[in-house]
Amino acid sequence: MAASYRAGAEQSGHTVRQINVAELDFPLLRSQKDFEFGSVPASLKPAQDDIVWAEHIMLFFALWAGDMSALLKGFFEQTFRPDFTGASASHFGKKLLSGRTARIVVTIIYPWAGPLAASPVVAVLLAFDRFQA
């Protein structure tokens, strides 16, 4: 689904950057102190750059046990730390992505879904330039 969306955007003349969250290597946060004062892993700096660059963001992920995967949550926790957003951990007041658009596509995969049960956790974020939603 993400590949089709990307192909359509590129055929329309948009530049697309893709972040495959499942392929990134980063630790999960273990404490609020680490969230507030720790450093963002170097492996996530390019993702932050892509998010800041983007004028439109598409997020594709599979609903797993009623929610997004722990890996995707960990990606958001690491990526949107206070030093990136310019806000305190308790209140994200700075509008880092103000004026941009986003869409979220959620699919459903359940462990008892036969062949789909073997599918890896997939979360794809597409960042676009000059996209008109």
Side-chain angles (χ1 to χ4, degrees):
M1 199 176 312
S4 295
Y5 199 97
R6 178 184 183 139
E10 289 175 333
Q11 289 172 1
S12 297
H14 299 286
T15 302
V16 181
R17 297 180 185 180
Q18 183 166 326
I19 301 166
N20 296 315
V21 177
E23 296 174 5
L24 297 174
D25 184 21
F26 61 90
L28 298 178
L29 290 171
R30 304 284 181 200
S31 70
Q32 182 173 349
K33 179 180 177 185
D34 191 26
F35 173 73
E36 292 177 2
F37 303 109
S39 298
V40 173
S43 62
L44 294 181
K45 294 284 188 183
Q48 287 183 324
D49 292 343
D50 289 347
I51 291 167
V52 169
W53 169 83
E55 293 181 20
H56 179 72
I57 295 173
M58 281 294 305
L59 175 63
F60 296 84
F61 69 89
L63 191 68
W64 184 258
D67 206 345
M68 70 177 75
S69 70
L71 184 66
L72 185 54
K73 288 179 186 180
F75 171 78
F76 287 135
E77 287 175 347
Q78 286 281 21
T79 304
F80 288 96
R81 288 178 181 223
D83 65 338
F84 180 63
T85 62
S88 71
S90 62
H91 180 18
F92 285 67
K94 183 179 177 184
K95 296 181 180 180
L96 179 69
L97 303 178
S98 181
R100 295 150 196 217
T101 57
R103 298 280 186 270
I104 300 173
V105 175
V106 182
T107 61
I108 298 175
I109 296 176
Y110 287 102
W112 57 85
L116 290 177
S119 298
V121 173
V122 175
V124 177
L125 189 142
L126 300 178
F128 298 86
D129 69 337
R130 306 175 317 277
F131 193 84
Q132 298 298 316

